[in-house]
Each structure stands twice: as C-alpha cells, then as structure tokens.
Amino acid sequence: MPFVLLAFSNKQDNYLEFLKKETSELRKILLGLKDKIDYEIISNATTDDLFDAMTVFHDQVTVFHYGGHADSLHLELENRNQGIEQFIQLLKGMSNLQIIFLNGCSTQGMVSKIMDGIDRDIAVIATATKVDDQRAFTFAKAFYSAFTQENQTLEGAFEMAKSLLDAADIQQATFSRAIISRPGDKPESPMPWGVYGNVDFTKKIQLIKAGVVAPVKLLPGSLAEFKEKLKKQITLGEIDEALELAELKIGLDNDILVNIMGRWSRHKKDIQRGNIIAGSESARLEENRIGNSITGWLDGLDEDDWK
C-alpha cells in the first residue's frame, strides 16, 4: 500500500496563512482513501520530528511532501534550517521512496544534489522561482486530488494541477514560501513547478491502481449520532479512528480538536521512541486522559460546530 509522509513548517514570525489550509486539505484527501493509502502528517515539523518519522517509516514511504519556507539549500523547519546535505542523508535511508514534492520557494536548486545523492530513479517536484502562499496551496491540493485517482499517472496529475492553476484568478500574496520574505516582495509570475527525473520513470508512476474496491464508510448523519459513535470508539480504545472521524466531520479549524490531535501524536511518538512502553500503566493512563479530553470536547459541541 502506498505511504505518503507529509511535513509542514510554519514559523510565527513569517506565518503562511494558506499552509494550514494545505495541511487540512491534503489530510482530507488522504483520509478519504484510508483503505488505499497510508499516511503520516507532521505539523510544525522540527529536525527531530523529520528524523524520527523518516527513521520509523524508512521502508514504507512512497511520497515525501514538504510544505513551508525553503530555498535552494534549506528547508526552514520549526527549530532550525535543515540543510540539503543532511536532508539527503535521511532520504537515502528510504528504500521505497519514489516521489519528493518540495512545495516551497526556489527548491529546484536541491534537485541535482538529491538525484546525485540518492543515485537511483526518483521523481522530484520542485520550484524554479518564489511562490506565493495561496498559489502553493492551490497547486498542492489540485495535484493530490488528481494523483489519488485510480490509474492516474504523475505526469497526468501534474498537468491537470498546472491547468487549474493557470486558469485560476489568484491574487498574489504578500508572503511567499521563501526563507526571507519582505513586505511587497512579490513572487515571479511564471509557472514555477516542474517535475524532475528520468522521463520514462516519471511518466509511469501511479499511486493507486484500479482493482481495489474500498468499502463505503457510512458517516454519522447528525450531531447526536456523531457523539455516540466517537464515544463508543473511545470506550473501545479506538482513538486513532475517533480522531480521524472527528477531523473529517469537524475539520482543523477547531483549536481544541487540533490540540488533542497533537497530544495523541506526541504520545504515539513517545511509544515509537521507547520513552513509554506500549500497554504499560503510564501509557494506559495517558490514553485514558486523552480519551476523556475527547469526550469533554464532544460534550461541548453544538449544532453550530456541526455545520
């Protein structure tokens, strides 16, 4: 099964409004294909977060996506810049990686170094110029909406996303996804994205092949049904499933839900790192606390939240 690893970084002193929307929309796309694609999302990614995720999922990841500030030599993560040389060392350990999507400004400068460093067929989507925040969000959403369709190729999805972006009437934003952004510094207007790699290889890449029929998931039709279903999942210890459904129905604009999801993600990482032993008393205690937090959040939801 394909595995998509997504990392996003959004510093408060150069905040990208549409990066949060990119995180949310790509999560929704992948969440709707849970029976066909596995994925992991790192929000507010640090160098340690990137190292941990690439170490844990090193032999599973098919697509790596980065969204945030960047330039030709660095990804600007939450704690410090990730240099291209260190980044390549992480990529070299990912044996099944086929696609890298660097959705920041002027990332084309990394391409040749990545190709030389990995030394095998791989496709890289990168930018030749600065890109403003809204254009980057629009292109990423369109690309993944197309590429997650059955039998769609990388080339086909890229062309569809490019067509949509070219036709869109998008007002340029003040902030771009460059490491240094100044008021009034406008991104260049030409189409900045390109696909790099062996042409025959990139044209053939598909994420989902036809033939796998996923079961239809019946979503709760009312707030009462929604609350009842999630509370049942929590009682059964199905916190991952409960949070996925909560995000699908409520979205990431709810700060309490986002905080709970972050706490659950940190708990799972503690188990992966060996800081907490799975099934131990301390692990169960934290999981109970998180379950109680979800229940408390559910009790506070009203019809306005449901809409």
Side-chain angles (χ1 to χ4, degrees):
M1 183 181 293
F3 189 107
V4 182
L5 176 62
L6 306 99
F8 299 93
S9 178
N10 201 359
K11 288 193 172 181
Q12 294 299 315
D13 59 354
N14 198 1
Y15 190 76
L16 299 168
E17 176 187 356
F18 284 90
L19 188 63
K20 182 177 180 180
K21 294 183 179 181
E22 182 176 323
T23 308
S24 178
E25 289 300 319
L26 297 193
R27 188 192 297 265
K28 287 179 182 177
I29 291 170
L30 296 172
L31 184 58
L33 295 163
K34 191 65 176 175
D35 298 297
K36 297 182 179 180
I37 298 177
D38 283 335
Y39 70 93
E40 179 78 8
I41 293 180
I42 313 170
S43 301
N44 305 317
T46 65
T47 51
D48 287 342
D49 291 334
L50 201 59
F51 174 83
D52 290 341
M54 288 182 162
T55 301
V56 171
F57 303 113
H58 67 95
D59 60 346
Q60 301 176 50
V61 178
T62 312
V63 180
F64 173 75
H65 176 96
Y66 172 78
H69 294 296
D71 63 16
S72 61
L73 296 174
H74 304 91
L75 305 179
E76 184 176 326
L77 301 182
E78 292 290 318
N79 57 334
R80 61 182 173 85
N81 292 351
Q82 175 73 70
I84 181 61
E85 299 300 333
Q86 294 81 6
F87 181 51
I88 290 172
Q89 290 304 311
L90 292 174
L91 295 175
K92 287 171 71 173
M94 304 173 76
S95 57
N96 290 309
L97 184 65
Q98 293 187 337
I99 302 167
I100 301 169
F101 190 156
L102 301 174
N103 203 24
C105 286
S106 304
T107 54
Q108 184 189 40
M110 297 186 185
V111 173
S112 62
K113 293 181 174 65
I114 290 173
M115 297 290 185
D116 292 340
I118 294 180
D119 194 26
R120 60 179 172 82
D121 278 337
I122 196 165
V124 181
I125 300 175
T127 56
T129 67
K130 292 181 180 180
V131 290
D132 73 52
D133 189 23
Q134 188 171 359
R135 280 168 61 87
F137 157 70
T138 301
F139 186 79
K141 179 182 177 183
F143 172 77
Y144 284 103
S145 294
F147 195 38
T148 52
Q149 301 302 308
E150 289 185 351
N151 292 334
Q152 180 59 274
T153 63
L154 174 63
E155 180 187 37
F158 184 84
E159 291 301 320
M160 291 181 72
K162 186 173 70 173
S163 174
L164 176 63
L165 185 64
D166 289 344
D169 181 17
I170 300 174
Q171 183 178 5
Q172 290 190 340
T174 299
F175 289 104
S176 65
R177 295 194 179 184
I179 287 182
I180 299 174
S181 180
R182 297 179 296 276
D185 183 14
K186 298 294 185 182
E188 297 179 30
S189 58
M191 170 68 188
W193 289 271
V195 180
Y196 304 90
N198 181 289
V199 174
D200 291 336
F201 174 75
T202 58
K203 282 186 175 182
K204 294 177 182 177
I205 294 178
Q206 293 178 330
L207 199 59
I208 301 176
K209 298 184 184 297
V212 179
V213 179
V216 177
K217 294 183 178 179
L218 298 177
L219 299 178
S222 68
L223 178 58
E225 291 177 2
F226 174 73
K227 290 183 176 182
E228 181 181 356
K229 184 173 180 63
L230 259 70
K231 288 181 179 180
K232 182 177 180 179
Q233 288 176 322
I234 293 166
T235 301
L236 295 173
E238 299 172 353
I239 295 179
D240 273 318
E241 292 80 357
L243 289 175
E244 285 178 2
L245 180 57
E247 182 186 349
L248 186 61
K249 293 298 294 183
I250 302 299
L252 290 177
D253 292 332
N254 189 292
D255 291 336
I256 297 176
L257 176 58
V258 170
N259 289 335
I260 294 173
M261 292 173 67
R263 183 176 176 183
W264 178 243
S265 178
R266 290 190 295 273
H267 175 66
K268 291 196 295 182
K269 286 179 181 177
D270 281 337
I271 291 176
Q272 291 171 351
R273 295 169 182 168
N275 298 333
I276 298 176
I277 299 174
S280 66
E281 183 177 351
S282 59
R284 290 196 300 270
L285 181 61
E286 177 62 6
E287 287 156 13
N288 287 337
R289 288 171 177 164
I290 293 172
N292 290 336
S293 296
I294 300 173
T295 300
W297 170 72
L298 287 170
D299 289 338
L301 288 180
D302 57 26
E303 291 295 336
D304 288 335
D305 298 309
W306 180 249
K307 294 176 182 178

